[in-house]
Amino acid sequence: MRLTRTLILVVLLVLPLGCGAAAPRASSSLEDEPGPGRIVITAGTPAGVYYAWATTLARELESAHPALNVEVLASSGSIQNLARLRAGTADLAVSANDAAEEAQSVPLRALARIYDDYYHVVVPGDSGLKSLEDLAGLEVAIGDAGSGTALIARRLLGLAGISVKEKELGIVDGLEALEADEVDAVFWSGGVTTDAVENASRRMPIRLLGLGDLPQQMRASYGAVYRPAAIPPGHYDIPEQVDTVALANLLIAREDADADLVTAVLTTIFDRREVIAAAVPAANQTDLRSAILTGSLELHPAAIAYYRREKL
């Protein structure tokens, strides 16, 4: 199977660039493992930036290599994506760096750092909540089970020394519950701007809680994968800067991923960077120099070769 896939990819990757390719298929089915000429990217919730970025990349890959069929799978987030990668039901996965560093039972390798996530704690605009500590004992949507959002939520709550009534709701269901007064806050880790939060801000006034010194505590407790950051004023109709924690998102493959596939993906990411960023503004952060900063997760050998050819 691996020899067959390699031969087909070699043929595909020498084809001239094409245009007008059919849109990539989006799916949540895992009935079949990836096969010859078929590439599977596991992304995230369709309302999130992971999914938008992955579907845009898939479209550009198919445009560059018309015989290549790229499928994007919806998921609950980083942890499920990495599980699919380990199981061999996906070729590529988008993952936050913190989850990736904990998922090394099967050797994984980074292709690139693509953009950063910023942690959102969304509350109603007219609520009296001012800090994470104010959520003690309240009902909170912490993210889907198996998501990086939930991983960070529990770390933050532990450092804050509080417990909440957890509801494992993703961003869409969580925001709907917030509007219906069924939860008091919604946690989300995503790029700025996240469309689901932006759309919610048009339906109801919202605020984002600042995290105070918790970002520094996250870094001290869990490592340099976390860094203090700020969501600038103006996003989500919020006039003030919101202090929060940020972390890198990576595109990841198994250690034994086909080298020609890795090269084709990286070439598409950087040759079509402006096109991808036009569809997904968070991709404006994608940069050759920062792409190699993947923390403790090593780069795939083909990625190293690609960056060396780019004089990095």
Side-chain angles (χ1 to χ4, degrees):
M1 174 68 79
R2 181 160 303 282
L3 177 59
T4 301
R5 293 188 65 197
T6 300
L7 290 174
I8 289 176
L9 280 167
V10 168
V11 172
L12 293 177
L13 298 178
V14 298
L15 290 172
L17 294 183
C19 59
R25 294 185 297 130
S27 171
S28 59
S29 172
L30 288 178
E31 294 178 357
D32 301 313
E33 293 189 1
R38 173 173 173 254
I39 302 304
V40 176
I41 306 173
T42 180
T45 170
V49 182
Y50 278 9
Y51 194 83
W53 185 86
T55 53
T56 305
L57 172 63
R59 184 187 67 229
E60 296 305 314
L61 272 169
E62 289 189 339
S63 177
H65 308 289
L68 193 62
N69 174 28
V70 185
E71 183 176 2
V72 177
L73 299 179
S75 78
S76 61
S78 296
I79 295 172
Q80 186 178 21
N81 290 342
L82 293 165
R84 287 174 174 173
L85 199 59
R86 292 194 302 269
T89 52
D91 297 283
L92 302 172
V94 185
S95 173
N97 206 349
D98 57 348
E101 290 193 351
E102 293 193 351
Q104 293 298 304
S105 58
V106 171
L108 304 178
R109 294 293 180 262
L111 273 60
R113 174 177 176 161
I114 50 178
Y115 67 87
D116 288 357
D117 270 353
Y118 292 76
Y119 211 71
H120 299 53
V121 181
V122 186
V123 299
D126 58 359
S127 79
L129 301 168
K130 303 297 183 185
S131 69
L132 198 70
E133 289 77 7
D134 292 340
L135 297 177
L138 301 183
E139 297 197 41
V140 176
I142 65 163
D144 284 315
S147 68
T149 295
L151 172 67
I152 297 174
R154 293 183 174 119
R155 288 180 170 181
L156 284 169
L157 292 167
L159 290 172
I162 63 171
S163 60
V164 301
K165 297 174 182 176
E166 295 183 2
K167 290 196 171 183
E168 290 183 329
L169 298 174
I171 186 63
V172 173
D173 291 340
L175 290 170
E176 288 179 355
L178 189 73
E179 292 181 58
D181 293 325
E182 295 171 354
V183 298
D184 299 285
V186 178
F187 288 6
W188 169 247
S189 183
V192 177
T193 304
T194 293
D195 286 346
V197 182
E198 179 70 21
N199 293 337
S201 73
R202 294 172 182 153
R203 298 191 299 267
M204 64 178 288
I206 63 170
R207 289 185 293 108
L208 300 180
L209 297 185
L211 296 183
D213 64 356
L214 286 171
Q216 290 86 350
Q217 292 185 45
M218 286 282 281
R219 190 176 181 89
S221 298
Y222 298 105
V225 65
Y226 298 111
R227 63 178 176 83
I231 298 175
H235 291 284
Y236 314 119
D237 290 328
I238 298 171
E240 67 273 5
Q241 172 179 297
V242 179
D243 294 328
T244 187
V245 63
L247 71 162
N249 289 309
L250 310 177
L251 184 62
I252 300 172
R254 291 168 65 103
E255 185 179 45
D256 58 0
D258 185 277
D260 293 310
L261 170 61
V262 171
T263 302
V265 169
L266 289 173
T267 300
T268 301
I269 287 172
F270 292 104
D271 284 0
R272 305 294 287 168
R273 177 184 174 278
E274 292 184 3
V275 175
I276 296 172
V280 186
N284 280 302
Q285 297 177 30
T286 306
D287 176 79
L288 271 169
R289 294 190 180 280
S290 63
I292 62 176
L293 303 178
T294 58
S296 65
L297 192 65
E298 295 179 19
L299 287 166
H300 189 280
I304 294 172
Y306 172 84
Y307 293 122
R308 282 177 177 166
R309 287 193 298 271
E310 296 297 319
K311 309 301 182 186
L312 292 179

